Amino acid sequence: MSDFVDLEGIDPEAAAARLTMAGLEVAAITQLCPEALSRVVSAKIMALEPHPEADKLSLCQVSDGQEELTIVCGASNMQAGDCVALAPVGTRLPNGMAIKKSKIRGIVSRGMLCSAAELGFEEESAGIMILPADLPLGKPVIELLDLQDTVLELEITPNRGDCLSVIGVAREMAAIYKRPFNLPSIELKTGSKPVAGLAAIEIKDPDLCPRYVGRVVEDIKLGESPLWLKARLRAAGVRPISNVVDVTNYVMLETGQPLHAFDLDLVRDQQIVVRRAGESENKFETLDGVERQLDSETLMICDGQGPVAIAGIMGGLNSEINDQTKNVLIESAFFQPASIRRSARLLNLGTEASYRFERGVDSQATNRAADRAAELLQNLAQGLVAEGSLDIHPQLRRMPEIFVRPSQANKLLGLNLDFAAVRDIFGRLQIEIVKEQADGFMVIPPAYRFDLEREVDLIEEIVRLYGYDQVPVTPVSVSGAEVIDPPEVASLRQLRETIMAYGYHEAVNYSFIDPDAVSSLQFEQESRFYNFVKLRNPISSEMAVMRTSLLPGLLTNLKDNLSVNVKDVRLFEVGRNFYRLAGQKLPSEELFLAGVACGRRYREHFSAPDGVVDFFDLKGLLENLAENLHLKFNFVAENYYKCLTPGRSAAIMLDNQEVGSVGQLHHEVAEDYDFDQEVLLFEIALAPLLAASVGTSITYKGLARYPAVYRDLAFLVEASIPAAEMLAYIRKQHKLLTEAEVFDLFQGESLAAGKKSLAFRLTFQDMNKTLTDKKVNAIISKLIKGIEDTFHGEVR
């Protein structure tokens, strides 16, 4: 990081705290090399001779600049005059080995000459590490190799893709500490061959790839990367492979721009074409040896004859860098984040490259990243850089202009910043001020800041740099005015409170469901329940469409409870269902209430009566809900959901409008869910209820001064006649008949086949005088005759 910003005098712990307060959380602070390695010093082999008692051992006379030591060594790759890494007695190596003075085959060895693997610099080594001959003696090796560094491990939030690089974090450090940010110049020694004669690039889908840069480096010498490069890659969790591959990974970590290196001799026709996959190109083998299934929308990098890489994600085996590679084409591009995110999820393939492309990379730095990689290949692989680059950009990305008012920033933050303070912060963040006006600034964010789109985003940047800890703590002011909920909100709250008073628990499910779950509920195929809003990129096949009913989610909840032996369940949900509208871009969103119940009616207790929840429990609940909204439901034994049991179900009517269904789940559907007990459910549209309840008022009347008269009547009628129809008829017969209810239903062998007995309790009352038996009997006589004529009933 010190290559880009002066870190002199900055303590790593303090820097970590400042970065965290600025929104870049530092999760860990470690050293690039263990502190114990500071004891390993440079030394020179003054003399080398065979061990007199062992053919495979050597005696080395080694000088660290202050004294000469005798070291017994088993390696064979060194010679007199070599500079080596000496671990004196008392050193503890990263692998846990403690260096002691020891006698080996009769000769005392006073230290150890170390390999790169023993120092933790390599995974394996063939011999001891040979250092540059011109290094001073007796100095710590990690200091001489510039490996004495601190590593900060940051947890970057998804909106800060610009900080997924050393340069991005260096920018933040420069802004926080008010120090200059510098990008070192790139020095390329280009050859005489122009790049246009070596390769060609064509972008056929500029909407998905607005910019593509290609650089050619010839005559490279493939080999290992230098120690400093390997150490930095390992510190970032990247395994070194070869100098060419390591350079692309290193530049990605340094700049945040993912790169890919193609073996140019394997790129057919020396041509790169950026396009979507064709219909016939449904398979592609990536670098990891896995054959991937493509779709026609996947963006591909192709050569003159076919795909060679999945754009922004992973290259292919057919153009990878190998031991025979001599000429390299470096790819540095800008791909649309949404396209890479979609393809990575479709392929279930996440890489370091896709991780950055999904969050957005600097479209104005693609050329510099390619040049930086070419510079490193020039220096580390002795490559010859072709003259010029292929920079194809049919659509350059334009950053938005945003107007920012310091007064609005002060209002939101509780600060008192002047124009000069805001101007200074914008300058440190490299936010360009296009125009300064009396009330604010017109600014353009840098191309690498995808998260800056609105005024409030820039206000967040102001407080980040000013310091969250500098914002004064102000007591919350509470308005004295009463806050009144809108009628719809108040009604919904009342519905929830009522249904919870009945022992129900509220469930909150995803709005995405499996379309097969709707089919299992046996809705009519022509019904709106199949007007699905399909998701373009679903999480799974079980969440492929927006729900058209709340019941699939609740029945799944019920199944989950029953599977863990919770047998008494009451659940409800308030949520929106979504219905596709023909010819409309947006679906219809409608608010519904649904519930499921099973098990005992009351909690298990010695004083509680036995009995399980049934249709009438849910009917009573719904009637109570309607009453609380000053409405009245009617229940009709037809047109209810097909997943319900005939004779134990009903459609819910509000005036003459059907608003829902209630009843017992049909045994065939219950078997599909593996339910072994009766399940009751309901679903009801809330929009008609809320609309009807608006403006309703409660009418009060005085208490009756005169006693009521009660009569019980039982009728023998056809079993097919709904009790609700008879009840509705009775209630309309006389104004003095103030209440009527069913209190008994009987069907049995003592009655004629196809018959049932319904018993009604009638309440008569006159608000102005005491009723006489004569008056009541006259009403009852007329009522009995009406029942006999209308329903062919027989009084019992």
Side-chain angles (χ1 to χ4, degrees):
M1 193 185 301
S2 57
D3 296 339
F4 310 103
V5 60
D6 181 16
L7 300 177
E8 185 68 31
I10 298 178
D11 176 67
E13 295 280 351
R18 294 286 295 274
L19 283 170
T20 299
M21 287 303 297
L24 304 180
E25 182 181 357
V26 178
I29 304 174
T30 58
Q31 295 301 313
L32 184 60
C33 296
E35 183 65 28
L37 287 186
S38 61
R39 298 197 59 179
V40 179
V41 298
S42 56
K44 185 176 182 180
I45 300 177
M46 307 304 294
L48 179 67
E49 59 184 51
H51 193 292
E53 300 297 331
D55 295 339
K56 295 184 179 181
L57 297 178
S58 301
L59 294 181
C60 303
Q61 297 299 319
V62 179
S63 172
D64 62 2
Q66 296 183 355
E67 60 176 329
E68 284 196 13
L69 304 171
T70 300
I71 307 292
V72 178
C73 182
S76 60
N77 66 315
M78 67 285 189
Q79 59 186 5
D82 281 346
C83 186
V84 294
L86 169 64
V89 173
T91 303
R92 183 174 291 276
L93 299 179
N95 61 9
M97 179 187 296
I99 307 302
K100 301 176 181 179
K101 181 179 177 181
S102 58
K103 183 179 288 188
I104 303 176
R105 295 290 183 96
I107 296 178
V108 176
S109 180
R110 299 174 59 195
M112 176 178 172
L113 302 186
C114 301
S115 69
E118 289 164 335
L119 296 177
F121 298 160
E122 301 277 5
E123 292 183 0
E124 56 183 33
S125 300
I128 65 170
M129 185 168 63
I130 307 300
L131 301 174
D134 57 349
L135 292 180
L137 302 181
K139 298 292 184 181
V141 170
I142 59 175
E143 179 183 327
L144 295 173
L145 297 181
D146 197 23
L147 300 177
Q148 204 168 24
D149 210 344
T150 302
V151 178
L152 302 182
E153 183 180 330
L154 285 79
E155 294 186 354
I156 305 299
T157 53
N159 66 314
R160 292 304 305 272
D162 61 297
C163 289
L164 292 171
S165 65
V166 174
I167 285 179
V169 178
R171 284 196 196 100
E172 290 291 305
M173 288 288 289
I176 291 169
Y177 283 96
K178 300 183 181 181
R179 298 189 177 188
F181 172 78
N182 300 302
L183 284 175
S185 60
I186 295 175
E187 298 180 3
L188 292 175
K189 301 174 184 177
T190 57
S192 58
K193 292 183 181 179
V195 69
L198 300 173
I201 296 172
E202 179 185 3
I203 299 177
K204 289 189 175 181
D205 283 295
D207 54 328
L208 301 185
C209 177
R211 189 178 189 184
Y212 192 104
V213 174
R215 266 278 188 190
V216 173
V217 183
E218 297 183 291
D219 298 327
I220 64 160
K221 292 180 175 57
L222 199 71
E224 290 192 11
S225 299
L227 194 59
W228 65 266
L229 181 56
K230 291 181 179 180
R232 291 187 178 186
L233 288 177
R234 285 198 180 94
V238 178
R239 180 175 62 89
I241 298 174
S242 68
N243 50 5
V244 175
V245 177
D246 293 350
V247 161
T248 60
N249 287 331
Y250 180 77
V251 174
M252 177 188 69
L253 295 171
E254 180 182 83
T255 67
Q257 170 67 54
L259 303 178
H260 186 69
F262 295 101
D263 185 325
L264 184 58
D265 297 320
L266 297 178
V267 175
R268 292 160 292 190
D269 302 333
Q270 280 68 57
Q271 182 183 19
I272 290 293
V273 180
V274 185
R275 60 172 173 80
R276 289 174 168 88
E279 292 294 338
S280 60
E281 298 168 338
N282 55 3
K283 294 182 180 180
F284 180 71
E285 189 172 3
T286 47
L287 284 172
D288 54 1
V290 177
E291 189 174 72
R292 308 286 177 177
Q293 297 293 325
L294 308 176
D295 76 343
S296 59
E297 290 299 310
T298 302
L299 188 66
M300 303 296 294
I301 308 300
C302 305
D303 60 12
Q305 300 180 34
V308 292
I310 302 174
I313 301 176
M314 187 177 284
L317 276 178
N318 56 358
S319 61
E320 71 169 333
I321 302 299
N322 57 72
D323 294 341
Q324 308 302 317
T325 298
K326 292 295 182 184
N327 304 311
V328 171
L329 173 64
I330 302 169
E331 168 196 278
S332 178
F334 176 84
F335 301 115
Q336 284 294 351
S339 170
I340 303 303
R341 187 181 305 114
R342 176 192 176 278
S343 297
R345 181 169 292 180
L346 178 71
L347 297 168
N348 193 25
L349 179 60
T351 62
E352 290 285 344
S354 67
Y355 187 79
R356 286 163 173 79
F357 279 125
E358 287 176 26
R359 287 152 179 78
V361 299
D362 186 355
S363 61
Q364 296 180 9
T366 48
N367 201 29
R368 178 182 171 81
D371 289 348
R372 174 62 169 150
E375 179 188 40
L376 289 172
L377 289 178
Q378 169 187 274
N379 298 335
L380 304 181
Q382 292 76 55
L384 182 62
V385 181
E387 182 181 358
S389 64
L390 298 170
D391 188 356
I392 312 301
H393 46 269
Q395 294 182 8
L396 278 178
R397 180 169 173 264
R398 296 179 61 85
M399 299 302 293
E401 291 189 357
I402 306 172
F403 189 69
V404 186
R405 297 161 293 170
S407 60
Q408 179 68 4
N410 288 329
K411 179 181 178 182
L412 291 178
L413 303 175
L415 300 175
N416 189 25
L417 300 176
D418 56 20
F419 272 50
V422 175
R423 191 185 303 112
D424 172 66
I425 290 173
F426 285 164
R428 288 151 57 191
L429 291 170
Q430 301 182 30
I431 296 172
E432 180 186 357
I433 298 177
V434 178
K435 185 178 181 180
E436 183 173 336
Q437 301 175 192
D439 55 344
F441 302 93
M442 184 65 73
V443 303
I444 298 179
Y448 51 81
R449 291 300 302 271
F450 279 73
D451 58 321
L452 302 183
E453 300 177 340
R454 304 167 296 166
E455 180 184 33
V456 69
D457 298 329
L458 290 162
I459 290 175
E460 182 182 1
E461 292 301 293
I462 292 172
V463 72
R464 274 200 327 111
L465 267 291
Y466 181 78
Y468 290 111
D469 54 340
Q470 301 299 314
V471 177
V473 178
T474 306
V476 177
S477 59
V478 180
S479 173
E482 181 183 1
V483 178
I484 301 176
D485 289 332
E488 180 178 329
V489 174
S491 296
L492 286 175
R493 183 175 63 249
Q494 188 177 24
L495 285 175
R496 283 186 166 96
E497 291 173 351
T498 301
I499 196 169
M500 284 190 288
Y502 273 75
Y504 283 72
H505 297 276
E506 184 169 8
V508 179
N509 288 299
Y510 284 114
S511 297
F512 318 127
I513 61 170
D514 185 346
D516 291 340
V518 174
S519 301
S520 69
L521 294 181
Q522 302 179 359
F523 292 116
E524 297 285 349
Q525 285 296 327
E526 299 77 16
S527 69
R528 65 196 304 233
F529 293 102
Y530 294 94
N531 293 343
F532 295 125
V533 178
K534 298 181 179 179
L535 302 183
R536 286 186 178 179
N537 194 17
I539 298 173
S540 70
S541 60
E542 295 179 351
M543 306 178 80
V545 298
M546 304 292 285
R547 66 188 177 196
T548 54
S549 172
L550 301 179
L551 293 177
L554 287 173
L555 289 173
T556 300
N557 299 150
L558 178 60
K559 181 178 180 179
D560 292 340
N561 278 274
L562 293 176
S563 68
V564 292
N565 207 35
V566 179
K567 299 297 185 181
D568 304 321
V569 182
R570 310 272 195 287
L571 293 173
F572 79 98
E573 182 171 9
V574 176
R576 296 189 182 278
N577 291 335
F578 302 83
Y579 306 96
R580 175 178 48 81
L581 298 175
Q584 299 293 319
K585 184 176 181 180
L586 296 177
S588 171
E589 299 182 25
E590 300 179 20
L591 194 63
F592 275 76
L593 165 67
V596 294
C598 68
R600 289 186 294 261
R601 179 174 290 117
Y602 304 106
R603 284 180 179 272
E604 188 174 15
H605 192 267
F606 68 87
S607 65
D610 294 332
V612 295
V613 64
D614 59 20
F615 169 83
F616 297 102
D617 291 292
L618 268 66
K619 179 173 177 287
L621 167 63
L622 293 170
E623 288 174 333
N624 198 349
L625 292 176
E627 185 177 342
N628 286 341
L629 295 177
H630 315 304
L631 304 174
K632 188 175 182 63
F633 287 150
N634 291 317
F635 297 88
V636 179
E638 58 186 18
N639 297 327
Y640 45 79
Y641 288 174
K642 298 302 180 184
C643 61
L644 300 179
T645 303
R648 299 183 183 182
S649 306
I652 307 168
M653 308 295 294
L654 178 65
D655 296 330
N656 294 319
Q657 180 183 3
E658 183 181 334
V659 294
S661 290
V662 58
Q664 181 180 321
L665 189 66
H666 197 282
H667 68 88
E668 292 180 357
V669 181
E671 288 175 1
D672 291 340
Y673 280 92
D674 296 325
F675 294 151
D676 57 1
Q677 58 190 91
E678 293 181 355
V679 174
L680 284 298
L681 59 84
F682 68 88
E683 184 170 39
I684 186 168
L686 289 180
L689 276 64
L690 298 175
S693 67
V694 173
T696 58
S697 58
I698 302 174
T699 301
Y700 295 93
K701 59 182 181 181
L703 296 174
R705 297 174 59 190
Y706 302 97
V709 176
Y710 302 96
R711 291 287 191 273
D712 292 342
L713 284 178
F715 294 95
L716 190 65
V717 295
E718 295 292 332
S720 60
I721 295 177
E725 289 187 16
M726 295 183 65
L727 201 58
Y729 175 84
I730 292 171
R731 286 171 175 167
K732 295 178 181 178
Q733 294 310 299
H734 202 283
K735 64 179 181 179
L736 295 180
L737 179 58
T738 58
E739 186 57 66
E741 61 182 13
V742 178
F743 73 88
D744 186 53
L745 166 65
F746 176 72
Q747 288 177 287
E749 296 179 356
S750 60
L751 300 180
K755 297 289 186 177
K756 66 180 177 182
S757 173
L758 283 173
F760 300 89
R761 177 155 295 156
L762 311 179
T763 303
F764 299 89
Q765 192 163 44
D766 192 328
M767 299 297 290
N768 301 312
K769 60 184 178 180
T770 301
L771 282 174
T772 63
D773 287 341
K774 182 179 179 181
K775 180 66 174 178
V776 172
N777 291 338
I779 299 173
I780 289 177
S781 297
K782 183 179 179 182
L783 176 61
I784 291 173
K785 186 166 189 324
I787 292 292
E788 292 173 345
D789 294 342
T790 306
F791 298 98
H792 307 291
E794 178 183 345
V795 67
R796 299 185 69 194

